[in-house]
Amino acid sequence: MNQWQLFEAKNPKPSGGSWTLHKDIAEPQDIFSWAQPGGAYASQIVQGKNGKFYIYVSIRQQNGASDPFSIGVGVADDPVGPYKDAHPSGPIISQNVPTKNDIHNIDPTVLVDDDGKVYIYWGSFNQLRGYELASDMVTVKGSEVRVTNLDGYFEAPWLSKRKNTYYLFYAANNAGPNSPCTPTSYHACIAYGTSSSPLGPWKFGGVVLGIVSSTTSHPGIYELGGKWFMVYHTADATNGGHFRRSVAFDSLEWDDTKSPPLPVKVKQTKRPAAAAKPTRNIAPKAKVSSKNETPIQYWIAALNDGRIKETPLPPDYWSSYAGERSPETNVLTYTWDKAVKLNGVAVSFFADQPAGSNVGVPPPASWYVEYATGSGSWTKVSAKRSYPTAPSFNPPEVGFDTITTTSLRLTVKASGGSGQFGGVGIHEWFAYAPTAE
């Protein structure tokens, strides 16, 4: 985005309501003479004890350090502006000020405490830093705090206070197949820590929002009229994507039986889905598994999620790619809770290398499908055509005589040879019933 925008509501409700969009409250170069044009990154607006509104922003500095991202502060009499630079001499935090650092200086979050003291946290790529600010809202006080014990910290901190407890919410990524937070290294959930002091020490609290449709998310926590809300972003809007995100808004409840009180995991509110159209593809009803361990950047659930993206990130598809350790043979299995009838399959392959390559992710060398018989053995389906290996968003169906089974097995041979093989990439594996359901 090239400018900051702001939504306003008199009576916000997650289920809907009336919102006003202020499309252009500020642009970096209009406020900060030292900023590069465009590039309006993460920001937060807070009201100071003097009644003025301060916008803390992530922007790129002209003639900055090796990483030009810096934190600037604008000030206005109204949250929609107009804003002017509250610190005209330059950013309040960068790789050069107030002390030198080598981190990605983005995602500022600021809290004006009940006693008037002001605190700021910021940082990305597993680096979380904090300071106290002076009453002028821009001057750093004291020593820098480095937070290293919040599990999976990735980016997007948000500092908040409820009663006598401080909460630091953040985008977390401690990926793994059994992770309570993120199944792949590209995903992020929203986790939090608690403290009795605004500068810590912090104690990990848990996960308050699971993964969303965008790979990462950025929380904002607010109390209004005695009710608490979480604002975050997803890719749910029409034509949305990982880098074309939309605003989401949900209630945040608290468990006051705990000490300290803990936030209850948020349930995402979504628009009512359109009625599903009848389809022969019953793969989404199956449980999917892989004989080999899926590399951490890919997501096995993408195999039957019903979505194919033309420019996917790794969690949008499944792959066996593991560099020089990519296996030659890959076995994937669908299992249904009860017996189903099938008479066709199709596989949408992903590739970033030419056929025959033994590096990257080329089209596979070959593949075939088997089904589980009543006795528990595996039998190849009676395919009525050859198995196509070319990448396609609309792959041709391989039909076969109707079978009744609870499991379908896909075996894919990777391209390559002489001990080195490319990875196999699959957008979607379709399993077709004889008639649409």
Side-chain angles (χ1 to χ4, degrees), residues 67-144:
D67 185 329
F69 277 98
S70 307
I71 295 172
V73 187
V75 61
D77 294 324
D78 189 287
V80 299
Y83 284 92
K84 64 180 182 180
D85 195 344
H87 192 254
S89 61
I92 66 167
I93 294 171
S94 72
Q95 287 196 335
N96 292 318
V97 296
T99 59
K100 288 187 177 295
N101 69 46
D102 59 358
I103 73 169
H104 199 46
N105 295 288
I106 65 168
D107 293 357
T109 179
V110 173
L111 173 70
V112 180
D113 209 345
D114 302 330
D115 59 5
K117 292 184 178 181
V118 186
Y119 303 92
I120 185 170
Y121 282 88
W122 80 98
S124 182
F125 295 114
N126 314 112
Q127 296 288 337
L128 177 57
R129 309 286 175 91
Y131 275 116
E132 182 180 349
L133 296 179
S135 59
D136 65 2
M137 306 290 286
V138 296
T139 303
V140 168
K141 291 180 62 176
S143 301
E144 179 187 80

Side-chain angles (χ1 to χ4, degrees), residues 212-216 233-248 309:
V212 296
S213 52
S214 54
T215 48
T216 188
H233 59 62
T234 72
D236 289 346
T238 302
N239 298 321
H242 297 305
F243 301 106
R244 187 174 176 81
R245 305 163 188 160
S246 51
V247 179
K309 295 188 176 182

Side-chain angles (χ1 to χ4, degrees), residues 7 28 92 126-127 151 156 164 225 238 262 276 299 344 359 401 403 420:
F7 282 102
I92 66 167
N126 314 112
Q127 296 288 337
D151 289 3
N164 294 317
T238 302
L262 301 180
W299 199 17
V359 297
D401 294 335
I403 60 171
Q420 182 169 331

Side-chain angles (χ1 to χ4, degrees), residues 200-437:
W202 294 95
K203 179 181 179 182
F204 178 74
V207 174
V208 70
L209 178 70
I211 61 172
V212 296
S213 52
S214 54
T215 48
T216 188
S217 193
H218 193 140
I221 311 298
Y222 284 102
E223 184 270 333
L224 184 64
K227 296 181 179 180
W228 287 80
F229 302 95
M230 174 183 283
V231 181
Y232 54 101
H233 59 62
T234 72
D236 289 346
T238 302
N239 298 321
H242 297 305
F243 301 106
R244 187 174 176 81
R245 305 163 188 160
S246 51
V247 179
F249 175 74
D250 274 303
S251 295
L252 179 63
E253 306 293 337
W254 297 87
D255 183 355
D256 286 310
T257 66
K258 300 291 194 300
S259 181
L262 301 180
V264 177
K265 193 169 184 180
V266 170
K267 295 181 180 179
Q268 296 181 51
T269 302
K270 297 189 177 184
R271 292 190 182 97
K277 296 180 180 180
T279 177
R280 290 177 55 221
N281 179 31
I282 61 172
K285 298 179 181 179
K287 295 178 181 178
V288 60
S289 60
S290 172
K291 184 176 181 180
N292 300 326
E293 182 177 349
T294 298
I296 196 64
Q297 66 268 42
Y298 302 105
W299 199 17
I300 194 168
L303 280 169
N304 61 339
D305 63 1
R307 296 191 295 267
I308 296 178
K309 295 188 176 182
E310 292 188 5
T311 54
L313 289 179
D316 296 324
Y317 62 99
W318 174 87
S319 180
S320 65
Y321 177 72
E324 295 181 354
R325 297 179 291 104
S326 300
E328 177 184 10
T329 303
N330 302 275
V331 180
L332 303 165
T333 303
Y334 279 160
T335 303
W336 288 268
D337 292 335
K338 59 182 180 180
V340 296
K341 291 184 181 297
L342 298 165
N343 71 340
V345 294
V347 180
S348 174
F349 287 106
F350 167 90
D352 59 15
Q353 298 294 323
S357 177
N358 65 353
V359 297
V361 183
S366 64
W367 61 282
Y368 61 89
V369 172
E370 301 167 288
Y371 68 98
T373 65
S375 63
S377 61
W378 291 94
T379 299
K380 287 186 178 181
V381 299
S382 54
K384 296 181 179 180
R385 57 155 295 166
S386 61
Y387 291 98
T389 58
S392 174
F393 295 129
N394 187 25
E397 179 178 347
V398 176
F400 48 81
D401 294 335
T402 300
I403 60 171
T404 300
T405 187
T406 57
S407 293
L408 202 62
R409 189 163 74 179
L410 170 65
T411 299
V412 187
K413 295 288 187 178
S415 175
S418 301
Q420 182 169 331
F421 300 90
V424 171
I426 299 177
H427 293 286
E428 197 79 7
W429 171 22
F430 302 89
Y432 294 119
T435 58
E437 300 178 3

